[in-house]
Amino acid sequence: MGESSILESTQPETESYEKPFRIETIDAAETAPVLERLEAEDATLESVEILGPEEFKKGRSFKIQKRRREWLAARLAAKRLLNWRLQQEGIYLKPSQIQILNKENGAPSVVLEGGKIYDRCMISISHSRGTGVAAIAPPDCLIGVDLEAIEPRASSFLTIMAHDDEWSNAMDSDLTEQTRLWTLKEAVAKLLETGFTIGFHDVRFPLHGDERRLELHNKAAAAFERINSPVIHFDSFVQNDEVLSIAYTAGEPAHA
Ligand SMILES: CC(C)(COP(=O)(O)OP(=O)(O)OC[C@H]1O[C@@H](n2cnc3c(N)ncnc32)[C@H](O)[C@@H]1OP(=O)(O)O)[C@@H](O)C(=O)NCCC(=O)NCCS
């Protein structure tokens, strides 16, 4: 498989340029009332209110409460964004009429009441420590989002995750830098809709001076070509001991 390299800076853009995406974050406290209704022994679709039938079934099926909570938090975040997006098109639906299910590859899929797939936007989801985050991109744009706690990671994981070209002195001890690199890779794997069926080193962010730039190799390069090689931009934020990274395209002409 051929290699391809795209040179996009991961430095945050400072100008007041309006981003093409929107993000919504829902924490455990905001999720609690719906979670309580969902976990009630006599819960019904009607009593939970916010979920559609397939979501209700899935939400009730989690064995671990942490998973159920963060899955729900992300659904609430995504429904808020979709409600906003659909209203722009003059479509007014209740949250239970907008379901966020998953495609076979795991990527989110928006299904409206009646079973119609809504594909005039791309949604990406991440969860961490009970918080759910969703990001939405307009038609013709792609997006991937990842939220991870800044915490120590095993050196065995770091050496597998990071390629030699991505290693810097900061990577030895800076937990924020380690987390940022991981979230950037996950965000790209979601934008490409491959997840980590591709190798960790297939999405690579070598250092160029102070900044990292994206290189795609092997299966990631092939997936990038399948989506017509768009320019990919990045944002990373640190908030509440977590890193949130977003990879997105902005509808610009593709790389040559
Ligand atoms: C996609 C992936 C990187 C997600 O990372 P994660 O750290 O587990 O979890 P996050 O909370 O950041 O993201 C989870 C969300 O990613 C999204 N997602 C899953 N697969 C995706 C894909 N192929 N493309 C885009 N998004 C995907 C889902 O929306 C999921 O949330 P949901 O289940 O509530 O809908 C990871 O699940 C993966 O690599 N999957 C592919 C390989 C695989 O299936 N391995 C088996 C498990 S090890």
Side-chain angles (χ1 to χ4, degrees), residues 13 17-24 81 84 122 134-138 141-145 233-237 244-250:
E13 287 146 357
Y17 154 67
E18 202 182 324
K19 302 287 156 79
F21 58 82
R22 273 195 180 209
I23 292 193
E24 188 69 48
L81 291 172
W84 163 81
M122 180 174 181
I136 192 168
C141 298
L142 302 173
I143 193 152
V145 69
H233 301 272
F234 303 92
D235 269 347
S236 269
F237 309 94
L244 175 67
S245 287
I246 305 118
Y248 63 98
T249 67

Side-chain angles (χ1 to χ4, degrees), residues 6 19 24 42 47 56 66 82 86 88 92-93 104 149 151 160 162 177 188 197 212 242 249 252:
I6 53 177
K19 302 287 156 79
E24 188 69 48
D42 57 354
S47 70
F56 177 75
K66 177 185 173 288
L82 283 156
L86 287 162
Q88 284 189 322
Y92 294 84
L93 294 173
E104 227 165 87
E151 58 192 7
I160 292 171
E177 184 57 14
V188 172
T197 55
R212 293 188 179 279
E242 292 177 315
T249 67
E252 294 142 307

Side-chain angles (χ1 to χ4, degrees), residues 58 67 70-71 74-75 100-102 105-108 122 124-128 145-148 182 186 189-197:
K58 168 111 192 205
R67 273 295 294 133
E70 60 186 22
W71 172 88
R75 260 71 213 154
I100 296 95
L101 308 177
N102 296 90
N105 64 11
M122 180 174 181
S124 183
I125 282 175
S126 186
H127 352 81
S128 170
V145 69
D146 193 55
L147 179 69
E148 297 286 342
W182 178 225
E186 281 217 41
K190 289 181 186 174
L191 181 149
L192 296 173
E193 287 201 18
T194 55
F196 280 110
T197 55

Side-chain angles (χ1 to χ4, degrees), residues 41-56:
E41 223 170 284
D42 57 354
T44 62
L45 194 52
E46 291 71 30
S47 70
V48 175
E49 264 181 80
I50 298 229
L51 300 180
E54 286 166 77
E55 291 175 327
F56 177 75

